Amino acid sequence: MEKYVILGGAKLEGEVEISGAKNSAVALIVATLLVDGVCVIENVPLVSDIYVLVDIINKLGGRAEFVDKGVLKVDSTQLEHCEAPYEMVRKIRASSYLMGALLGRFRQARVAMPGGCDFGVRPIDLHLKGFEALGAKYSVEAGGIVNITADDLHGASIYMDTVSVGATINIMFAAATAKGQTIIENAAKEPHIVDVANFLNSMGANIKGAGTDVIKVKGVDALHGGNYAVIPDQIEAGTFMIAAAATGGDVLIKNIIPKHLDSISAKLLEMGIEIEELDDSLRVRSSGEFKKANVKTMPHPGFPTDLQPQILTLLTAATGTSIVTENVWDNRFKYVEELRRMGANVSVDGRIAVIEGGGRLTGSPVSSTDLRAGAALVIAGLMAEGVTEIYNIKYIDRGYEDFEKKLRSLGAQITRRVDGEKGKSVVIA
Ligand code: UD1
């Protein structure tokens, strides 16, 4: 089992290059299944979720391979299966996109519920209702296999009562080659929704309004191949912004779209952290002292839930009492238990966390509970006095490319180790 070992206290200083957006890339890679031709996708982050999807596409009869660093070539012309293998699908949430893409391509899809049967926690009812509105029928079979079929797909008006990134993307996929026009109301507006629409349009789709809450998809007969580059990762950029602030650092965050980071910049400015916006970069400077703030996570353009653990961690060092309200997910404060081990004074009641800031965290062994929580624990380790060991870093590897390498280049004292026999450890990074 691999772990991070961090010696806290170093200020992050220098420049960091942000990778392509993981959440966008996972959708674009699945979108290639709709395309009758060869797609070349650039700026793909090399993270484990991507490798899982590459394997899934190859299993389905497509051909996906990296032809250069971050350049993925996918040829789905020979795709022959509309059934995605459970043992792979369960590894990655974004495999729910296989439903919309395979339905669009074959008018049929058999895909296991991503991560097993967890309707209660991460439901996909909006995805399925959307497919139904387009003319499909579905059933959930034993073992949580979702079987979706359609004689044909036709355009429809779909109002989503909850803003859902995944459902918006899945409905765009299925509607791209449906007959007639589909209107998605109360659509998600995240940067990767726009990226997916731009990708599909560049392959011949007709999608308008992505980035607003009404998306109109006029179905086309077929999509053709082409080249496309993934947008920069808003969440990775935000994580580095918060890490820079947390360590009293001075970091230029490069290769980003500053507009995507407005909600994070605004919150850091409110806390007294300096932000300088440049064309495609941001400079974050902090004295290491900052004010309390209240944060409410919301769908874009609100403060992203995927940066909630990181900002909460930062707030443990702010002067005064802060409140973080999680409005997107039911249960996204599991990691707080780990922060408490490090001395954080945080209480949680349902979707609300109250942070009594001001104390310094102390290094301790902790365990990642998910991807973004793992990144937050790394930030906590950088802030803490002494040594922090972070276990379960496989979660972090799902979404951050070269995380420890990038942090080390900024001066962080972080290494990746493999736990060997007692007393032995091997530094592999
Ligand atoms: C995506 C992101 C994830 C992020 C989330 C919210 C990817 C690969 N993942 O996840 O990192 O945290 O957006 O920004 O892009 N919901 C329903 N029914 C549904 C679908 C969703 O009730 O059918 C609810 C969910 O329980 C949740 C809310 O809608 O409370 C938002 O979920 P959604 O936007 O769908 O998240 P994902 O697309 O899974």
Side-chain angles (χ1 to χ4, degrees):
M1 188 170 70
E2 291 183 341
K3 63 181 180 184
Y4 279 145
V5 179
I6 303 173
L7 176 61
K11 289 178 189 225
L12 298 190
E13 282 169 344
E15 299 181 356
V16 64
E17 195 85 31
I18 296 305
S19 301
K22 188 273 281 182
N23 282 349
S24 200
V26 292
L28 301 189
I29 292 171
V30 179
T32 63
L33 301 183
L34 284 164
V35 174
D36 199 9
V38 176
C39 298
V40 177
I41 310 177
E42 293 165 29
N43 205 29
V44 176
L46 302 180
V47 296
S48 63
D49 271 13
I50 300 290
Y51 296 122
V52 173
L53 277 179
V54 166
D55 281 352
I56 290 177
I57 289 181
N58 288 320
K59 271 264 160 34
L60 290 170
R63 282 179 51 200
E65 56 173 345
F66 279 98
V67 290
D68 207 341
K69 186 170 191 266
V71 182
L72 183 70
K73 185 174 159 194
V74 189
D75 181 350
S76 295
T77 42
Q78 303 301 318
L79 202 72
E80 46 199 27
H81 304 291
C82 54
E83 183 166 347
Y86 169 75
E87 65 282 4
M88 290 179 156
V89 167
R90 61 181 274 276
K91 290 187 190 160
I92 164 175
R93 296 282 175 190
S95 51
S96 64
Y97 294 144
L98 292 164
M99 296 179 190
L102 291 172
L103 182 63
R105 176 77 180 263
F106 295 110
R107 304 302 193 240
Q108 199 178 350
R110 253 174 76 82
V111 181
M113 290 287 291
C117 307
D118 59 1
F119 266 106
V121 183
R122 284 187 89 161
I124 56 161
D125 56 310
L126 294 169
H127 305 230
L128 297 173
K129 276 185 207 159
F131 298 148
E132 254 185 346
L134 297 174
K137 291 192 169 58
Y138 72 88
S139 57
V140 183
E141 298 171 3
I145 309 286
V146 186
N147 193 16
I148 313 167
T149 54
D151 293 335
D152 209 356
L153 296 171
H154 53 73
S157 272
I158 299 169
Y159 178 84
M160 294 205 289
D161 52 15
T162 304
V163 179
S164 162
V165 171
T168 303
I169 289 177
N170 243 337
I171 294 167
M172 284 200 289
F173 285 174
T177 56
K179 289 203 173 70
Q181 176 166 265
T182 298
I183 301 176
I184 310 171
E185 285 188 71
N186 203 23
K189 296 181 279 200
E190 268 64 8
H192 51 300
I193 299 285
V194 181
D195 211 28
V196 169
N198 287 343
F199 171 83
L200 291 170
N201 284 342
S202 74
M203 306 298 157
N206 184 343
I207 302 175
K208 296 205 169 80
T212 75
D213 48 19
V214 181
I215 298 179
K216 294 184 179 167
V217 185
K218 277 198 182 135
V220 296
D221 288 339
L223 302 181
H224 53 75
N227 285 36
Y228 193 83
V230 181
I231 52 165
D233 197 312
Q234 174 207 26
I235 304 301
E236 186 198 11
T239 302
F240 275 98
M241 290 170 75
I242 294 169
T247 58
D250 181 352
V251 177
L252 185 67
I253 293 159
K254 293 168 68 174
N255 182 35
I256 54 156
I257 299 173
K259 184 83 196 135
H260 292 171
L261 295 156
D262 279 353
S263 63
I264 300 110
S265 297
K267 201 44 73 178
L268 295 183
L269 282 167
E270 183 188 325
M271 293 175 69
I273 293 151
E274 280 179 59
I275 307 278
E276 188 185 346
E277 191 176 307
L278 304 151
D279 279 349
D280 59 358
S281 57
L282 276 177
R283 185 172 176 190
V284 179
R285 260 186 299 186
S286 149
S287 63
E289 287 184 8
F290 21 83
K291 293 180 274 188
K292 67 180 175 131
N294 295 337
V295 178
K296 291 182 182 173
T297 65
M298 301 288 248
H300 193 77
F303 193 92
T305 172
D306 286 355
L307 287 170
Q308 178 259 95
Q310 299 89 318
I311 194 101
L312 185 149
T313 301
L314 176 66
L315 289 168
T316 64
T319 319
T321 305
S322 303
I323 297 174
V324 172
T325 310
E326 173 57 53
N327 287 313
V328 178
W329 296 111
D330 284 338
N331 187 10
R332 205 171 187 168
F333 286 122
K334 272 197 249 167
Y335 67 94
V336 164
E337 196 57 43
E338 303 301 303
L339 281 183
R340 285 202 197 105
R341 282 174 198 275
M342 299 178 71
N345 187 350
V346 184
S347 57
V348 174
D349 185 5
R351 288 173 175 248
I352 295 175
V354 178
I355 304 109
E356 302 293 346
R360 178 141 187 221
L361 299 175
T362 311
S364 137
V366 288
S367 191
S368 301
T369 50
D370 64 56
L371 165 60
R372 308 302 172 185
L377 292 176
V378 170
I379 294 173
L382 297 172
M383 295 163 75
E385 193 165 350
V387 175
T388 296
E389 290 180 325
I390 304 177
Y391 291 87
N392 262 333
I393 61 173
K394 61 174 193 239
Y395 289 118
I396 304 175
D397 293 337
R398 285 186 41 209
Y400 288 90
E401 182 177 41
D402 290 338
F403 198 34
E404 73 269 15
K405 228 191 225 170
K406 290 185 185 184
L407 286 167
R408 266 207 309 272
S409 77
L410 295 172
Q413 301 207 42
I414 174 168
T415 53
R416 176 187 290 255
R417 293 190 186 168
V418 177
D419 262 358
E421 288 162 34
K422 205 173 171 205
K424 280 191 198 164
S425 63
V426 187
V427 179
I428 60 164

